[in-house]
Amino acid sequence: MSYQFQGKDIETTATGYLVDPEDWSRELAEHIAGLDGITLGERHWDVIDFLREEYFENNQSTPNTRTILKAMSDKWGGRVDQKTIYDLFPLDPSKQGGRIAGVAESRRKGGY
């Protein structure tokens, strides 16, 4: 499987995760999100940036939904509920968000 992006084939796994994390860019993230029917806004980028930071700076850890909720509650200055995060990434914040963020697929079952 691959994404067709800016005249190139971007290689992915069978589930749409980038094979080479170096292929990721903000523009590619917008393209992938668009394929899922998502227009990325500021809060989407907060989650994506958090997922990338955790993955690349924390021993390739892919945060689960509970961890994302806590981090976004801290960042956005108030309690964030699960519905708010799922409104951003309806298929699963850690999995769909991670795929758009260009990090490896989480092997955990469930997001919470």
Side-chain angles (χ1 to χ4, degrees):
M1 181 175 176
S2 65
Y3 294 118
Q4 301 297 313
F5 180 68
Q6 295 182 343
K8 295 190 294 187
D9 287 335
I10 306 294
E11 188 178 359
T12 68
T13 65
T15 52
Y17 289 80
L18 298 180
V19 169
D20 183 355
E22 294 294 319
D23 286 333
W24 187 87
S25 67
R26 291 178 79 84
E27 294 80 15
L28 179 59
E30 290 172 347
H31 176 75
I32 296 168
L35 295 173
D36 286 351
I38 296 173
T39 301
L40 298 177
E42 183 177 336
R43 287 193 166 196
H44 292 96
W45 285 113
D46 287 343
V47 174
I48 290 168
D49 291 341
F50 171 72
L51 290 168
R52 289 186 59 77
E53 180 179 306
E54 282 297 298
Y55 184 78
F56 291 109
E57 296 179 16
N58 193 14
N59 208 19
Q60 299 184 336
S61 167
T62 52
N64 64 13
T65 300
R66 180 177 293 194
T67 304
I68 295 168
L69 285 171
K70 183 178 180 336
M72 294 306 103
S73 292
D74 292 344
K75 180 159 187 72
W76 298 338
R79 184 180 176 281
V80 175
D81 63 8
Q82 193 167 347
K83 181 185 180 320
T84 300
I85 296 297
Y86 271 88
D87 284 347
L88 297 173
F89 299 102
L91 298 180
D92 185 303
S94 64
K95 293 185 182 282
Q96 183 178 35
R99 186 170 42 79
I100 294 168
V103 301
E105 184 171 8
S106 171
R107 298 294 177 199
R108 284 191 285 294
K109 291 184 179 179
Y112 199 79

